[in-house]
């Protein structure tokens, strides 16, 4: 496999800042039209040979659930209602990193450069795959289904204690003898 990136320097697109919060709706429209729709709906990422789909339901007005989940945060961490989420600049700015990390995580693993940490964990009876781009403190969560993955969320990890917690999960996973993910074929 040819790696699309230099193993010593992961190349990510520039973040897309919202320069004026009063222009938030136009900013979201730009992210949706220029990043989310072309990269995550029309031209699906591929992870471990399987397509990665974004969740569409429940809709939040005109937005798919996956888009809302990757541009807004639920501060209570327990609501399934997309209307309970508030804008999150750090998530939104990094939306254009999602596909690049998903499709190039194997390069990081093969070259053993430690840029992207991968671990699996069970969540409500399903296997969730975590991709943590450690240098950028950015986490992507995928959920395995029969022959696809669902893109659950992505977010910037602001707090040091939360980053440490994720690294400990990765280290514990590395000590396991058997991965959780099954090959559905």
């Amino acid at each position: 496999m040819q790696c699309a990136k230099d193993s010593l320097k992961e190349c990510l697109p520039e973040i897309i800042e919202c320069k004026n919060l009063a222009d938030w709706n136009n900013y979201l429209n730009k992210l949706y039209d220029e990043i989310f729709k072309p990269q995550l709906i029309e031209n699906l990422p591929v992870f471990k040979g399987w397509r990665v789909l974004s969740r569409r339901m429940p809709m939040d007005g005109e937005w798919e659930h996956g888009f809302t989940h990757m541009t807004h945060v639920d501060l209570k961490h327990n609501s399934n209602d997309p209307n309970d989420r508030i804008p999150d600049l750090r998530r939104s700015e990094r939306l254009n990193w999602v596909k690049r990390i998903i499709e190039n995580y194997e390069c990081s693993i093969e070259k053993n450069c430690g840029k992207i940490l991968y671990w699996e964990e069970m969540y409500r009876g399903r296997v969730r795959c975590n991709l943590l781009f450690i240098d950028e403190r950015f986490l992507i969560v995928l959920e395995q289904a029969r022959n696809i993955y669902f893109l659950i969320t992505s977010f910037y990890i602001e707090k040091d204690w939360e980053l440490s917690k994720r690294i400990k999960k990765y280290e514990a996973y590395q000590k396991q003898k058997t991965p959780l993910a099954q090959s559905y074929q």
Side-chain angles (χ1 to χ4, degrees):
M1 175 179 134
Q2 281 279 16
C3 287
K5 299 179 184 172
D6 178 339
S7 65
L8 299 176
K9 182 181 177 204
E10 299 290 338
C11 54
L12 290 174
E14 292 293 321
I15 62 173
I16 301 171
E17 294 180 347
C18 180
K19 306 230 186 257
N20 179 358
L21 288 177
D23 203 27
W24 175 254
N25 288 335
N26 288 332
Y27 174 71
L28 277 183
N29 286 329
K30 178 180 177 174
L31 289 179
Y32 183 84
D33 292 339
E34 295 178 16
I35 307 295
F36 187 81
K37 189 175 176 186
Q39 292 184 16
L40 302 171
I41 292 179
E42 295 171 346
N43 186 14
L44 298 174
V46 175
F47 181 73
K48 295 185 175 186
W50 292 348
R51 295 175 305 142
V52 177
L53 303 177
S54 296
R55 296 183 300 166
R56 294 189 171 243
M57 298 297 181
M59 293 290 284
D60 177 22
E62 63 188 274
W63 310 118
E64 288 92 348
H65 184 71
F67 179 72
T68 302
H69 221 280
M70 290 188 288
T71 55
H72 294 71
V73 63
D74 173 11
L75 295 176
K76 297 176 188 172
H77 301 289
N78 64 357
S79 176
N80 288 326
D81 184 350
N83 296 310
D84 288 344
R85 302 181 76 81
I86 61 170
D88 184 337
L89 290 173
R90 303 296 81 83
R91 287 176 191 237
S92 300
E93 292 171 340
R94 291 159 176 80
L95 184 63
N96 61 340
W97 291 3
V98 174
K99 183 172 183 172
R100 184 82 54 97
I101 292 171
I102 289 171
E103 291 193 333
N104 288 283
Y105 107 96
E106 287 180 349
C107 180
S108 179
I109 302 302
E110 285 178 10
K111 300 226 177 174
N112 197 25
C113 62
K115 296 285 185 182
I116 301 173
L117 305 182
Y118 172 83
W119 74 95
E120 299 167 356
E121 55 191 354
M122 294 301 293
Y123 180 80
R124 297 183 180 175
R126 296 236 171 162
V127 176
R128 290 223 167 152
C129 303
N130 296 269
L131 302 170
L132 173 60
F133 193 126
I134 195 161
D135 289 355
E136 299 293 340
R137 304 172 70 112
F138 189 70
L139 179 70
I140 298 171
V141 180
L142 306 173
E143 187 170 274
Q144 186 180 24
R146 290 210 42 82
N147 58 355
I148 60 170
Y149 286 93
F150 287 104
L151 177 55
I152 301 301
T153 195
S154 63
F155 58 92
Y156 176 76
I157 300 173
E158 292 187 41
K159 297 177 175 78
D160 290 339
W161 65 265
E162 187 175 352
L163 181 62
S164 295
K165 179 175 116 178
R166 305 288 177 161
I167 292 169
K168 285 179 183 169
K169 286 182 177 191
Y170 164 77
E171 290 168 348
Y173 176 76
Q174 293 304 302
K175 294 177 184 173
Q176 289 178 197
K177 303 241 188 270
T178 309
L180 298 174
Q182 299 174 5
S183 177
Y184 294 103
Q185 295 182 7

